[in-house]
Amino acid sequence: MSQITHPNIVDGWFKESATMWPGQAMSLQVVEILHHEKSLYQDVLVFQSTNHGNVLVLDGVIQCTERDEFAYQEMISHLPLNSHPNPRKVLVIGGGDGGVLREVVKHEIVEEVTLVEIDESVVRVSKKYLPAMALGFEHPKVKVHIGDGFAYLKENTGSYDVIITDSSDPVGPAESLFQESFFDLMRKALRPGGLICTQGECQWLHLDLIKQVLTNSRKMYPVVEYAWASVPTYPSGQIGFVLCCNEEGREIRKPIRSFSKEFEDTKLRYYSSAVHASAFVLPTFARVALESR
């Protein structure tokens, strides 16, 4: 059996290839390439790293590592869920690695969570090589639909309390998930008092894109906020979240539901009620840029 190779791995090191952060690239040392395929939608790579466990890469961009994935998964899930008083039905668009599902089902109040992932290969590969994340698929409250998020939303208006869009960057199959029309479809798929939370890029690199998404969202939602978290293997070590609510006056910046301290200390590794509130405090350069009209 021939050894697996990949153009982004040279001399034992993986180096990201991306156009959205020119002049910089994350590099990780590789122990072994575990999987590589060209799916119907993207290049899918999994390798074992020396210090970050197994790593999932789509189209040359790191999606998650076993070492730091919990920061992103917890924040994109618990920020919106703890901003809703009664989140019974949850929709996850993207998130084929299962990490968001794992976090959503930690909320006992949730009755049903549906994942819509366009690329079945991400689900299949994650179940094999990212088992601690793919745990989410095993929960009885979880339903999985392999298909297009746009089409699914059009067929499920007024159906969900919380919608979480765990997308890759706005290139390739995820490009449409940053468009105004997609945010409008999510709005229509919400129940009264519903929230959406989407991956919101990096304030060090993408302020213009973030500002445009926030501006477009404010045309449709009465409450729009931006939060962030530290994830070392994401570009510039930071990722943001766009949260929108269809209920005027809803408080998102502080949790209206919370976990016990014991739960936070034993079941979570990044998110807490205190972190929730602090996530909306932006550095001055980002706050000024995003507040300007």
Side-chain angles (χ1 to χ4, degrees):
M1 185 175 179
S2 60
Q3 186 177 16
I4 304 173
T5 61
H6 192 276
N8 286 71
I9 297 176
V10 178
D11 295 330
W13 286 83
F14 166 83
K15 181 180 178 181
E16 275 190 320
S17 58
T19 59
M20 288 191 65
W21 40 94
Q24 68 183 69
M26 170 62 73
S27 188
L28 295 176
Q29 193 170 11
V30 178
V31 174
E32 180 186 5
I33 300 176
L34 300 174
H35 182 87
H36 178 230
E37 69 175 271
K38 296 277 190 177
S39 77
L40 292 174
Y41 300 96
Q42 55 203 338
D43 183 275
V44 181
L45 168 69
V46 182
F47 65 88
Q48 179 189 357
S49 68
T50 56
N51 297 84
H52 290 76
N54 289 352
V55 181
L56 173 65
V57 180
L58 300 179
D59 282 341
V61 177
I62 293 170
Q63 302 301 303
C64 56
T65 80
E66 289 183 308
R67 179 173 177 174
D68 62 11
E69 55 85 9
F70 63 88
Y72 175 79
Q73 315 297 338
E74 290 183 15
M75 291 295 279
I76 200 171
S77 303
H78 304 313
L79 284 173
L81 286 166
N82 280 340
S83 298
H84 194 292
N86 191 26
R88 301 288 182 178
K89 287 190 67 178
V90 178
L91 174 64
V92 179
I93 298 175
D97 51 48
V100 172
L101 292 178
R102 180 194 67 201
E103 297 305 315
V104 170
V105 297
K106 290 178 181 178
H107 294 257
E108 293 184 1
I109 195 172
V110 171
E111 296 175 350
E112 176 185 307
V113 53
T114 300
L115 180 131
V116 178
E117 167 63 57
I118 196 169
D119 193 342
E120 65 80 24
S121 70
V122 177
V123 177
R124 169 171 41 83
V125 167
S126 298
K127 287 180 177 180
K128 183 172 183 179
Y129 296 107
L130 299 167
M133 298 179 70
L135 276 175
F137 290 108
E138 300 174 10
H139 200 278
K141 293 181 181 179
V142 169
K143 299 178 179 180
V144 177
H145 174 82
I146 301 299
D148 177 62
F150 262 83
Y152 187 88
L153 287 170
K154 289 177 182 178
E155 297 169 0
N156 289 273
T157 58
S159 298
Y160 292 97
D161 299 304
V162 173
I163 299 174
I164 299 169
T165 300
D166 176 16
S167 67
S168 50
D169 297 302
V171 292
E175 182 176 6
S176 63
L177 303 185
F178 286 77
Q179 296 173 0
E180 189 172 344
S181 57
F182 183 71
F183 277 72
D184 192 42
L185 280 174
M186 287 192 288
R187 179 185 63 83
K188 293 174 180 175
L190 287 174
R191 290 172 167 176
L195 290 103
I196 68 164
C197 182
T198 72
Q199 188 267 101
E201 294 301 324
C202 175
Q203 57 192 297
W204 288 103
L205 301 169
H206 309 124
L207 275 178
D208 289 342
L209 172 61
I210 295 166
K211 185 174 181 179
Q212 186 61 56
V213 170
L214 295 177
T215 298
N216 291 341
S217 298
R218 290 187 177 110
K219 299 174 186 176
M220 296 173 270
Y221 299 87
V223 177
V224 177
E225 300 285 0
Y226 186 80
W228 66 281
S230 172
V231 185
T233 51
Y234 284 169
S236 297
Q238 184 271 334
I239 195 75
F241 310 98
V242 176
L243 291 97
C244 308
C245 182
N246 63 11
E247 181 182 286
E248 186 79 45
R250 172 68 64 79
E251 175 60 78
I252 294 177
R253 288 173 169 259
K254 296 179 181 179
I256 60 175
R257 294 189 311 111
S258 60
F259 299 111
S260 68
K261 185 178 186 303
E262 180 185 8
F263 188 96
E264 290 181 350
D265 290 349
T266 59
K267 303 297 184 182
L268 302 174
R269 298 176 66 193
Y270 191 100
Y271 177 90
S272 68
S273 294
V275 169
H276 183 126
S278 66
F280 295 91
V281 180
L282 303 181
T284 299
F285 80 92
R287 176 182 57 79
V288 171
L290 296 181
E291 285 179 351
S292 64
R293 301 295 179 177

